[in-house]
Amino acid sequence: MTNKKRLLGVTLALGLGLVATSALAADKIKIGVSIPAATHGWAGGLNWHAQEAEKDLEKAYPNLDFIIATAKNPTEQANDLEDLVSVQNIDGLVILPFESDPLTIPVQQVKEAGKFITVVDRGLSQPGIEDIYVAGNNSALGEQAGEYLKKRLDGKGKIVVLRGLPTTVDDERVEAFNASIKDSDIEVLDMKYANWNRDDGYEVMQDFLSRFPEIDAVWAQDDDIALGVIEAIKQADRTDEMFVVGGGGMKDIIKRVKDGDKLTPIDVLYPPAMIATAMGLTALKFETKAAVEGRYILGATTVTPENADKFYFPDSPY
């Protein structure tokens, strides 16, 4: 065989190999994962669990290709959805909306394009768009915080509340919290959004401290907010007057609870690993005949000094 024929044979073989590889990639089922960027601790944990789940699931199901897109605001996330559908041609979408209202129509458009939809944590403003919904138990998080405050304050006292973002998640938490303290003599001095953000929590709490000479307790709702609240309280030298109840399970707060810190006596879990649960359920939809459509509400556990060891993971990013 001449060198020319050998070269032609190698070229054809390489070409066929590339075609086969391209065809194999094209045959893969693509699942888009749209989540907020790691703008705060809980979101950082969320991103880490999404990346870990991507590796585990693609190893378990070689036919799946997860495409993770992170966004810093609702507009960017809506643009990501358009790209995932028109450019990436995804078959399914797992999304944790940055905010409920601005993402409802964009997600609905993805659904109308024939894609399987899994919504995580922050529900959409219009029910019924998603095929799967995965979330922590927001009502239980609010209720447990309220019940603890009511018991700890013996049914009376002055408190301030820092909300998250204007989402269905925040609404569920606050409604349950308000219901739990309804029949008590606990007075909510003020309630403001702190956007699940440490810096905003610090600023809102500074405002509360400047306006209210008597505060018995703070419901920060979220551990990132709680860290900002704690800093503001310490700077105001009012640590002996009040205590703070957060939520989420951040290792910094769990460590404080574990060590018996009087300023942070408990925490209520809201695991960022729920994104991995959502990705796993979506994978099952495409790789098995299992019926997976429905609502999945994960448990909310109250963390105390007695059980904090079970929930303290020092190597975790969150």
Side-chain angles (χ1 to χ4, degrees), residues 202-317:
Y202 174 78
E203 291 180 5
V204 172
M205 192 62 201
Q206 274 193 319
D207 173 62
F208 287 161
L209 290 166
S210 68
R211 291 192 290 124
F212 303 117
E214 183 182 349
I215 301 174
D216 298 304
V218 182
W219 182 41
Q221 194 200 104
D222 170 82
D223 288 342
D224 276 295
I225 295 175
L227 289 176
V229 167
I230 290 167
E231 183 63 26
I233 294 172
K234 286 183 175 180
Q235 285 193 10
D237 196 23
R238 293 177 63 177
T239 55
D240 293 335
E241 299 175 30
M242 64 195 78
F243 60 91
V244 181
V245 175
M250 179 185 284
K251 65 181 180 183
D252 291 348
I253 298 296
I254 299 296
K255 179 68 162 58
R256 291 170 184 269
V257 174
K258 180 175 176 290
D259 293 343
D261 182 3
K262 293 181 179 179
L263 196 57
T264 51
I266 68 160
D267 197 36
V268 185
L269 293 185
Y270 196 78
M274 66 178 69
I275 190 67
T277 302
M279 292 167 67
L281 288 167
T282 307
L284 289 176
K285 166 63 182 179
F286 289 101
E287 289 294 313
T288 73
K289 295 181 180 179
V292 295
E293 290 83 350
R295 292 173 60 85
Y296 298 83
I297 306 301
L298 309 181
T301 302
T302 299
V303 181
T304 66
E306 290 71 31
N307 67 2
D309 272 331
K310 298 178 183 178
F311 308 106
Y312 180 57
F313 305 103
D315 296 329
S316 168

Side-chain angles (χ1 to χ4, degrees), residues 12-302:
L12 286 170
L14 287 171
L16 288 171
L18 288 171
V19 170
T21 302
S22 298
L24 184 62
D27 288 342
K28 280 196 172 188
I29 295 168
K30 296 182 179 181
I31 300 173
V33 181
S34 175
I35 55 178
T39 54
H40 62 287
W42 193 89
L46 182 85
N47 278 255
W48 184 81
H49 283 291
Q51 292 162 7
E52 290 298 301
E54 177 186 23
K55 290 186 287 187
D56 293 342
L57 291 169
E58 287 184 348
K59 183 177 180 180
Y61 304 110
N63 192 43
L64 295 183
D65 180 19
F66 284 90
I67 303 166
I68 298 176
T70 62
K72 295 179 180 178
N73 55 62
T75 301
E76 186 178 338
Q77 189 171 33
N79 291 336
D80 286 343
L81 297 189
E82 186 176 345
D83 180 75
L84 287 169
V85 173
S86 62
V87 178
Q88 301 293 345
N89 193 27
I90 58 171
D91 300 282
L93 173 69
V94 178
I95 179 169
L96 194 157
F98 206 99
E99 293 180 16
S100 300
D101 288 342
L103 271 302
T104 294
I105 291 178
V107 175
Q108 185 177 28
Q109 290 171 341
V110 177
K111 178 68 173 179
E112 290 170 352
K115 314 304 180 183
F116 188 86
I117 305 293
T118 299
V119 172
V120 187
D121 185 39
R122 303 167 194 173
L124 302 172
S125 299
Q126 179 180 324
I129 296 173
E130 70 274 6
D131 299 287
I132 294 175
Y133 178 66
V134 178
N137 196 330
N138 290 291
S139 295
L141 186 149
E143 180 182 8
Q144 289 181 35
E147 290 297 332
Y148 177 81
L149 285 169
K150 186 166 62 175
K151 182 177 180 181
R152 173 74 181 268
L153 296 174
D154 198 24
K156 57 183 181 297
K158 300 178 185 294
I159 70 170
V160 291
V161 174
L162 292 88
R163 302 186 63 160
L165 284 165
T167 61
T168 57
V169 166
D170 181 80
D171 291 340
E172 289 172 10
R173 293 177 180 182
V174 173
E175 287 169 7
F177 178 84
N178 287 339
S180 70
I181 64 172
K182 183 179 179 181
D183 296 327
S184 71
D185 290 324
I186 293 176
E187 178 187 357
V188 178
L189 298 170
D190 200 356
M191 185 180 294
K192 284 188 174 182
Y193 287 107
N195 306 313
W196 291 320
N197 180 277
R198 187 180 308 190
D199 292 339
D200 291 345
Y202 174 78
E203 291 180 5
V204 172
M205 192 62 201
Q206 274 193 319
D207 173 62
F208 287 161
L209 290 166
S210 68
R211 291 192 290 124
F212 303 117
E214 183 182 349
I215 301 174
D216 298 304
V218 182
W219 182 41
Q221 194 200 104
D222 170 82
D223 288 342
D224 276 295
I225 295 175
L227 289 176
V229 167
I230 290 167
E231 183 63 26
I233 294 172
K234 286 183 175 180
Q235 285 193 10
D237 196 23
R238 293 177 63 177
T239 55
D240 293 335
E241 299 175 30
M242 64 195 78
F243 60 91
V244 181
V245 175
M250 179 185 284
K251 65 181 180 183
D252 291 348
I253 298 296
I254 299 296
K255 179 68 162 58
R256 291 170 184 269
V257 174
K258 180 175 176 290
D259 293 343
D261 182 3
K262 293 181 179 179
L263 196 57
T264 51
I266 68 160
D267 197 36
V268 185
L269 293 185
Y270 196 78
M274 66 178 69
I275 190 67
T277 302
M279 292 167 67
L281 288 167
T282 307
L284 289 176
K285 166 63 182 179
F286 289 101
E287 289 294 313
T288 73
K289 295 181 180 179
V292 295
E293 290 83 350
R295 292 173 60 85
Y296 298 83
I297 306 301
L298 309 181
T301 302
T302 299

